[in-house]
Each structure stands twice: as structure tokens, then as C-alpha cells.
Amino acid sequence: MVKIRPEEIKVLSNYIYNVSGITIDASKAYLLETRFGKLLDEEGCKSYSEFYHKAKSDPRRMLEKKIIDAITTNETLFFRDTSPFDLLKHKILPDLIDVRSGKGTRPGTTNLKIWSSACSTGQELYSIAIVIKELLGNNGNHKTTLMGTDLSNAAVAQASAGTYNKFEIERGLPREKLHRYFTPAGGNWKIKDEIRAMASFRHMNLMQPFVGIGKFDIIFCRNVAIYFTLQDRKKLFDKIADVLEPDGYLLIGSTESLTGICPRFIPKRHLRSVYYQLQ
Amino acid sequence: MTFLKILVVDDDPVTRTLLTKRLINEGYTIDTAEDGRVAIEKLARQFYDVVLTDLIMPGGVDGIGVLEEAKRINIKTEVVLITAHGSVDNAIEAMKKGAVDYLQKPINFDELFLRLDKIRNLKMLVKNASDLREAMDVTEKTSAETIQDLEILVTELNGRLSAIRATLLQEGMAPESRIRQVLDGLDEA
């Protein structure tokens, strides 16, 4: 395997930061080798400098996309950590529907917009869709718009396809839900159309300005800011505050905190879960 | 899981004895069954890491039958089929049904040991990964509780600090009274 030289670590880390916002500490240089070793071979590069120059000089930015796919972590599960989904089902959705159906232009109707801001391969957004389906059934009065975005094009493509292998399906997803919401597809499992149709996915870099995405009632931003610098985390949650409805809900990862990051949000507790709302 | 527990299934006593002897010499734990039916009974009673079974056996349950039943009982049991020389098609059919590997007769023991080594390494990797996941889940859960408690506590404390500040800045009250009011407030909390 090609070894990365100390002076290359800095150059490549800077490049990765610029295209993805992900910061790689010099002590984690091994991460660069494990993540890019194969790509380096595929591209026929003899050194990380060559690799870097190739990525920078590609006008179609194909290599940049591959680098992003390789460096992003796609550790995700259906119903990863059940508490946010319980919170959604028992607290957030009922509360929002109560509030909105009272003051909507046509009383009794709602349109809730939900954003999975680092959706990875789609498990989080599909889990949300399943919760909504189970809570609201086919009640036509309550419309929902579910959007999933991710930095990795490969992840977005898999999310859109809605197909998962047995390892991806194995943990987190109860058997009964697997059989109700998925169909077997040649050794894999494919999300059923009724759930697939509820969600849409697209590529988005959270480091860039949020343009034309509108406002959301519920935002999931779990386990992504941990890869950013403190400065970038502050900017990210400030932008999130801008696109959250005044009475909307923000959910972050269970081991994340907004203390010292975004004073616009206040944490609130429901049973064992914490969620955030604007001041 | 240094050594695998293997169930050897073969209707030919000579093959059975030979396999058993060689595998025990290599340090594996061995049990045997003389046909498919006995094999299934044993599989239902206890867990084997690997089933090494002949493909063609008399008595109604052949190697494929053992394979299907073993996988149904416990997906983690790996099945290696032993096929007659030249019957590769059958072996491929078995691989499609979930067999991990196949060997052709006459059995080349070096090859067999190599395959078993591979299975053992794979099982250890899978176990390591699931142990790590479990450890991660536990760590994540306990740290989440601490972090969330702190998050709420910090917010409460900030609220109290603001209240103290407001009291201390209150006009039309003697400084000493303000301090007393703050201290009373702190005592209550």
C-alpha cells in the first residue's frame, strides 16, 4: 500500500476539508490510507500528491465525488437508537398536528415538512416515514414532505434506490417491520413503494449556504456535526435555526450537545429523550 | 472460538472415521452422524460451527437436506459439502442454497484444513465486529445519558444565573436587599 508522507497529510486534509467540511486530525493520518488506499490503486496514482493533483485538476470533479464517498462515514441503521423515533411518534408529531390543524388555512389539514439533513443511505428518513405511516395511516388530512440530503452521492443513490443487504437490515429493524415494509429482492431487501413514495433524496453539502430549501417543522441532524470543527458546527446550527419553523423541533445525536454551540436553541426533555426548540 | 466444533456427516464408516481422526489431530472438536436424519437430530439439540457433509446419502435426507435444515436451525452454522469427483454442478447448486464451500472426493486434507481455517477467521472477524458494535452501543448509551443530563442542567443553571443578574441589577432596592434576595433564591434551589 502506498504510504502517505507527512507533508501530504496536510495538503490532503486541507483538500478534504474544502470539499466536505470534514476535519481530519494529523493523528488520524492512518484513516487517509485505509480509506483511500483502494481508490489510489484504481486511479493508478503512485503517491498521495499525484492523487491530490489528479483530483484538483479534474474539471468534471469525478474524483472529488469518489473522495467524498470514501471519506464519509455511512454507519447508520434503521431506527438507530430508538429514542428519537419514539419521541417523534409519542410527542413531536401529535403536538405539531394539534397545533397546526387548529390554525391552518383549512382547519383540520396539516403539511409537515421533515428534513433528514445527513441521511446517509436513507435508513433514518425511511424509519421516520414508517413511524408516520404507523401513526397517521392513510389519513389524507395530514400531508408530510420528507426530504433527505447527504454529502455523498453514492449514499444518496443508495437511499433513492431503497435497497439494502442483509447486514444493513439485520440490526435495528424488527422482523415484523421488515416483512411489512420491505420486499425481498434477490438476496436484498427493497423498501415498499408506499414508503419510498413518501421520501425524496438529494445531494447537499451542509457547509454551503442553505438556498431554496424552505422551512422545516422537524429537522434531524444526528451524528454529522461531530466531524466538523467547532467553528463550522456553530455555523451549521445557526443555519439550521434559520430554516426551522418557530415552533419546530430539532433532533441531534444522542451523544451530541449544543451547549456553547448555538444559543438560539434550548434543550427540552421528554421522558428519556432530549430535543431542541428555538428560544 | 479458537477451535471449531464440527459435525461430520457421512454414511461410509471408513470416511467418517478417517475425517474424525484427522480433524481431531488438528485440534477440532468432532461429532459424527451416519446419515442426514441423525445429523438433523443432532443439529436441533446443539450448535455446531461447521457441518461437513457428504452430498449423496441414503435414508431420505441427503447433503442438501442437511444444509437446508442446518441453515434453518441456525444461520451461523456453516456447511461444507463433500461431492463425488466431477459433480461440480451439484456443488454449485448447494452454494446457491447457502453452503459456504465444497470439496471433491478424494478429500485432500490440506485443502480441507485450509478451508476450515478460512471459516474460522471469518467467524472471528464477524464476532469481533459484533463485539465492537455492542461495546459501542453500550458506550454510546451511557455517554448519551450523561451528556443529556448535563445539557439540561447547564440550561437550568444559565436560567438561574440570568435571574440572579436581573435581581442584582434591580433598581429601587438597596444593594444589601438584592444580595439577600439572591442568597435566599440560591438556598431555595
Side-chain angles (χ1 to χ4, degrees):
Chain A
M1 193 159 83
V2 180
K3 284 268 166 212
I4 189 162
R5 293 197 307 269
E7 66 272 22
E8 291 171 328
I9 294 173
K10 206 163 181 299
V11 174
L12 199 60
S13 305
N14 266 339
Y15 172 74
I16 289 164
Y17 175 77
N18 286 333
V19 295
S20 71
I22 295 168
T23 48
I24 291 155
D25 192 271
S27 67
K28 298 223 181 71
Y30 67 92
L31 202 71
L32 296 171
E33 286 175 358
T34 48
R35 298 250 171 145
F36 296 133
K38 192 166 149 256
L39 194 52
L40 216 73
D41 285 348
E42 280 170 16
E43 297 291 326
C45 298
K46 302 275 180 297
S47 72
Y48 279 86
S49 304
E50 192 187 337
F51 182 66
Y52 162 73
H53 287 296
K54 189 168 179 188
K56 279 225 51 153
S57 61
D58 175 6
R60 290 171 57 229
R61 297 164 74 178
M62 291 307 289
L63 186 51
E64 178 186 309
K65 289 197 178 90
K66 287 182 188 168
I67 288 174
I68 289 173
D69 291 341
I71 203 71
T72 45
T73 305
N74 286 328
E75 168 64 19
T76 178
L77 295 174
F78 285 99
F79 296 97
R80 171 172 182 179
D81 173 13
T82 53
S83 62
F85 303 101
D86 291 341
L87 188 67
L88 192 65
K89 187 172 184 174
H90 299 298
K91 163 91 183 145
I92 298 179
L93 287 172
D95 279 8
L96 270 176
I97 286 167
D98 262 5
V99 173
R100 296 302 159 76
S101 52
K103 70 176 187 194
T105 43
R106 280 192 303 152
T109 65
T110 56
N111 182 10
L112 295 179
K113 282 184 71 187
I114 303 176
W115 178 27
S116 165
S117 63
C119 69
S120 187
T121 41
Q123 284 91 327
E124 180 177 81
L125 195 58
Y126 287 134
S127 300
I128 295 169
I130 289 171
V131 167
I132 290 172
K133 192 88 195 168
E134 294 191 341
L135 191 71
L136 304 179
N138 293 319
N139 186 335
N141 285 334
H142 306 300
K143 298 219 177 343
T144 51
T145 309
L146 308 187
M147 180 172 92
T149 62
D150 200 85
L151 178 66
S152 161
N153 284 286
V156 170
Q158 197 197 327
S160 300
T163 305
Y164 302 92
N165 66 35
K166 65 172 179 169
F167 297 107
E168 292 166 318
I169 225 91
E170 213 167 46
R171 296 184 317 139
L173 190 69
R175 285 238 142 239
E176 150 273 328
K177 281 194 171 52
L178 172 66
H179 289 289
R180 191 176 318 160
Y181 299 110
F182 292 81
T183 43
N188 293 325
W189 293 86
K190 192 167 170 37
I191 193 98
K192 282 190 178 165
D193 288 345
E194 54 171 329
I195 301 295
R196 174 67 192 85
M198 293 169 71
S200 67
F201 296 94
R202 65 181 225 204
H203 169 265
M204 180 170 163
N205 185 345
L206 294 176
M207 299 295 283
Q208 272 149 24
F210 297 174
V211 183
I213 59 169
K215 289 222 171 200
F216 296 94
D217 299 288
I218 306 166
I219 298 175
F220 281 71
C221 185
R222 299 196 301 150
N223 306 315
V224 60
I226 49 177
Y227 300 105
F228 297 166
T229 62
L230 183 62
Q231 202 55 37
D232 288 332
R233 258 181 254 178
K234 287 180 178 175
K235 284 187 202 152
L236 170 64
F237 285 105
D238 205 44
K239 285 188 286 184
I240 287 178
D242 290 339
V243 296
L244 188 65
E245 292 285 357
D247 58 352
Y249 293 78
L250 166 68
L251 285 99
I252 65 174
S254 65
T255 56
E256 292 181 277
S257 152
L258 291 187
T259 296
I261 292 185
C262 189
R264 294 168 70 186
F265 285 109
I266 38 168
K268 294 181 182 175
R269 170 160 264 166
H270 177 75
L271 303 175
R272 284 303 310 167
S273 309
V274 169
Y275 59 91
Y276 294 81
Q277 289 197 293
L278 292 166
Q279 290 269 17
Chain B
M1 207 204 311
T2 323
F3 297 108
L4 301 173
K5 189 167 176 187
I6 304 175
L7 179 64
V8 172
V9 191
D10 203 307
D11 56 303
D12 172 26
V14 180
T15 313
R16 220 163 52 225
T17 312
L18 182 64
L19 274 169
T20 304
K21 224 167 147 184
R22 296 293 303 260
L23 288 168
I24 285 173
N25 280 346
E26 288 295 308
Y28 294 106
T29 309
I30 303 299
D31 199 355
T32 58
E34 63 269 25
D35 62 31
R37 216 169 287 278
V38 177
I40 289 168
E41 277 168 25
K42 291 201 169 187
L43 282 163
R45 273 205 301 275
Q46 56 173 308
F47 175 76
Y48 296 91
D49 296 298
V50 178
V51 177
L52 188 59
T53 178
D54 198 4
L55 183 65
I56 297 157
M57 289 181 292
V61 182
D62 63 359
I64 299 286
V66 172
L67 163 68
E68 284 172 342
E69 202 52 22
K71 283 287 174 193
R72 198 189 59 77
I73 292 167
N74 194 328
I75 191 88
K76 287 183 179 142
T77 297
E78 297 298 354
V79 180
V80 178
L81 281 138
I82 302 167
T83 66
H85 183 70
S87 58
V88 175
D89 286 354
N90 290 337
I92 288 168
E93 201 48 46
M95 299 284 283
K96 279 187 192 157
K97 289 191 168 164
V100 67
D101 219 332
Y102 69 92
L103 288 168
Q104 292 198 42
K105 286 180 184 171
I107 295 167
N108 175 334
F109 280 94
D110 284 339
E111 199 183 341
L112 172 63
F113 298 149
L114 221 61
R115 305 273 167 101
L116 290 175
D117 248 8
K118 246 193 203 161
I119 293 172
R120 193 189 60 187
N121 289 341
L122 199 67
K123 277 177 174 278
M124 269 162 63
L125 273 178
V126 170
K127 191 178 177 315
N128 278 351
S130 77
D131 284 357
L132 275 175
R133 284 225 159 110
E134 219 162 276
M136 193 188 79
D137 285 349
V138 172
T139 314
E140 193 172 299
K141 196 160 177 292
T142 44
S143 43
E145 281 170 14
T146 311
I147 289 164
Q148 293 180 348
D149 285 348
L150 287 174
E151 189 86 329
I152 297 288
L153 184 64
V154 166
T155 309
E156 278 171 16
L157 290 176
N158 275 337
R160 276 162 64 188
L161 281 176
S162 308
I164 287 171
R165 187 182 154 80
T167 309
L168 290 177
L169 288 173
Q170 224 169 70
E171 284 174 27
M173 196 195 278
E176 272 175 37
S177 314
R178 296 181 207 168
I179 292 170
R180 186 149 308 282
Q181 200 177 328
V182 165
L183 287 173
D184 288 348
L186 285 175
D187 285 341
E188 274 170 37

